[in-house]
Amino acid sequence: MNAKRKTVACAPSAGCVDWHQIDWKKANANVRRLQARIVKATKEGRWGKVKALQRLLTTSFSGKALAVRRVTENRGKATAGVDGEKWATPKQKAEAITRMKRRGYKPQPLRRVYIPKANGKKRPLGIPTMLDRAMQAIYLLALAPVAETTADPNSYGFRPERSAHDAREWVHTLLAQRTAPEWVLDADIEGCFDHISHQWLIANIPMDKAILSKWLKAGVVFNGEFNPTTEGTPQGGIISPTLANMALDGLETMLNRKFPKINTGKQKGELSIPPYALTKGVIREYRNNVYFNPKVKIARYADDFIVTGEDKTFLEEVVKPEIESFLKERGLRLSAEKSRVTHIAEGFDFLGWNVRKYDGTLLIKPAKTSIAKLIRSIRATVRELRTAPGHEVVRRLNPILRGWSNYHKVAVSKEIFSKIDSFVWQKLWRWAKRRHPNKGSKWILRKYFAHHQLASKTFAPQNESGKFRNYIWRLGEVHITRYDRIKAEANPYDPEWEEYFERRLAKELFKTMTGKGKLSRLWRKQKGLCPKCGGKITTDTGWHVHHKVSRAKGGGDNQENLEVYHPFCHIQHHHG
């Protein structure tokens, strides 16, 4: 009986499914194989083959099972849509697989909520139902390989294996040299998700047009009132970031075509320009409204991007209109409030960093707005916990401090880290003094502060059991590290790049596991793969350590008795 259940990844979706007996290793292999074939067909321009393979993936049991697993394991799993439905139990998840059918599918309206933005405004967020999320997830499995194959090389937002750190490194590459361009168009698209043209998306996105049209026209419900949607793709949908990225793909290609690389020789694929035209500041027209300027380059993260140029007037009067024309076709426009041309000596903010040259040296530091946001968060948390025990203060503050420092540790941040540590110490000292107004400073130091590495007075209250101290995260002890930018042409769905991504993942996870020798050895021994499902164990998926022979039955903590699992796979293993 169990042997039959283990092959359920290949069974028809209409059959009876035991959620905990699904063979996830086989399901992952099936989907990865189809995605690799989609990449190959896309590179060859065989769009009929792409469509057939996408249909095969979206109707497969493996794809449906992985889609349900994704929407029931992410952070939004406890948030219901307009129907109030949640998939919490194995039975509900198994039944969901059988409900995922194209025929008769009609998405329900999204539940509209608003979340505050840094500028005081509110961002609309649309929450689909669980079934709609799962349907978006399975169609994304089929669309993502196409999106990655056709994407702009230097687009880094909402793409697998890429991050804001890659975008930061590309900006550094563009602007660090002394001969680098001195002017930057710091651009932002106004309401990108809210204003993308439905007509353009349906005509240009290579996926099931009927399904896509239903999602775009589903409407939203706010305060019990239904409102139709005539433009935009809702923020909150799983597939929405990919749709927005694909709408903006081609921007880099357009700029490279309009402002091609200059070459005084005649190398293949490059324009040959007379030497006099290379004079700094000279802008001339070249062939059919194509301008030459060697320093027009773009770095994009989702709808935030910068464009470099040698001349301010050229960026404002030539490059910017070309970008606006490109966006207009897609129903978009640049934000007049956030888009401006600035000199590199004045600097600009990008993705939470300030990019600026000081006496010819480029330094990328945490932006003042990012620092201010962190300060507000620390103040609000300490104020909220003014009557809470010390270990609770540490538990709430540490994720905030750790996340902020890990994001900025690739920049010039050491001095700012030290200032943040001083601010945190002052806030926690005042917290302790307020909590014990009748105690002296020495008593408070003994109770709440202790020596930790290089700091003799680190906030370290005892935990709930009183057996050991919980130390506050110190930013000053975070090492500034170099980040290796991903290769622009790398595609995680293309088997040709498999070895490259494995080396990259091993390097990243090894850094994360520094100081956890046994854990890193286990991960390397397993080649970074989960023994249960065969999927990669990454910092995003998380991991659990499993004892082959449980400690209750005499198993030890030696390396031969340990394995590293995905958290979900670990639960499934014990359930089985």
Side-chain angles (χ1 to χ4, degrees), residues 314-383:
F314 181 69
L315 280 175
E316 290 178 336
E317 298 183 4
V318 180
V319 178
K320 189 176 179 181
E322 293 288 352
I323 295 173
E324 290 173 336
S325 177
F326 176 89
L327 296 176
K328 188 176 181 181
E329 294 179 12
R330 293 150 175 79
L332 302 171
R333 63 182 181 182
L334 291 178
S335 170
E337 177 187 344
K338 297 181 180 179
S339 301
R340 66 190 184 100
V341 177
T342 182
H343 195 273
I344 190 62
E346 180 185 348
F348 62 92
D349 289 351
F350 186 62
L351 303 179
W353 290 295
N354 180 259
V355 184
R356 182 180 173 186
K357 270 191 174 179
Y358 300 82
D359 297 326
T361 302
L362 184 73
L363 297 181
I364 301 180
K365 303 179 179 181
K368 291 181 179 179
T369 52
S370 180
I371 298 171
K373 185 178 179 181
L374 174 67
I375 294 296
R376 288 196 300 270
S377 180
I378 294 170
R379 278 179 176 152
T381 303
V382 174
R383 187 183 304 116

Side-chain angles (χ1 to χ4, degrees), residues 231-282:
E231 60 179 4
T233 176
Q235 294 189 61
I238 289 176
I239 203 170
S240 293
T242 302
L243 296 178
N245 254 340
M246 295 187 77
L248 297 176
D249 283 335
L251 179 58
E252 184 173 356
T253 304
M254 182 274 293
L255 291 174
N256 290 339
R257 186 181 68 251
K258 287 284 185 180
F259 315 104
K261 180 180 179 180
I262 293 178
N263 182 44
T264 54
K266 293 185 178 180
Q267 294 181 16
K268 185 178 179 181
E270 296 180 343
L271 295 177
S272 180
I273 307 297
Y276 70 84
L278 296 176
T279 306
K280 180 177 178 181
V282 174

Side-chain angles (χ1 to χ4, degrees), residues 175 202 278:
L175 299 172
I202 294 171
L278 296 176

Side-chain angles (χ1 to χ4, degrees), residues 142-260:
L143 180 61
V146 181
E148 282 299 301
T149 307
T150 59
D152 284 345
N154 293 300
S155 162
Y156 298 100
F158 302 121
R159 293 180 59 187
E161 308 293 343
R162 298 180 184 233
S163 68
H165 290 166
D166 293 295
R168 192 207 75 91
E169 286 297 319
W170 177 235
V171 170
H172 188 275
T173 301
L174 292 178
L175 299 172
Q177 297 180 358
R178 291 192 175 274
T179 57
E182 298 179 348
W183 293 92
V184 174
L185 170 61
D186 181 13
D188 184 85
I189 299 173
E190 185 176 344
C192 180
F193 282 87
D194 301 326
H195 300 301
I196 297 177
S197 167
H198 285 183
Q199 184 178 357
W200 190 94
L201 288 173
I202 294 171
N204 292 277
I205 300 298
M207 65 168 290
D208 191 314
K209 309 296 183 184
I211 294 292
L212 177 59
S213 180
K214 288 179 180 179
W215 286 335
L216 296 176
K217 306 294 183 183
V220 298
V221 173
F222 181 63
N223 289 335
E225 182 179 346
F226 174 81
N227 298 290
T229 48
T230 58
E231 60 179 4
T233 176
Q235 294 189 61
I238 289 176
I239 203 170
S240 293
T242 302
L243 296 178
N245 254 340
M246 295 187 77
L248 297 176
D249 283 335
L251 179 58
E252 184 173 356
T253 304
M254 182 274 293
L255 291 174
N256 290 339
R257 186 181 68 251
K258 287 284 185 180
F259 315 104

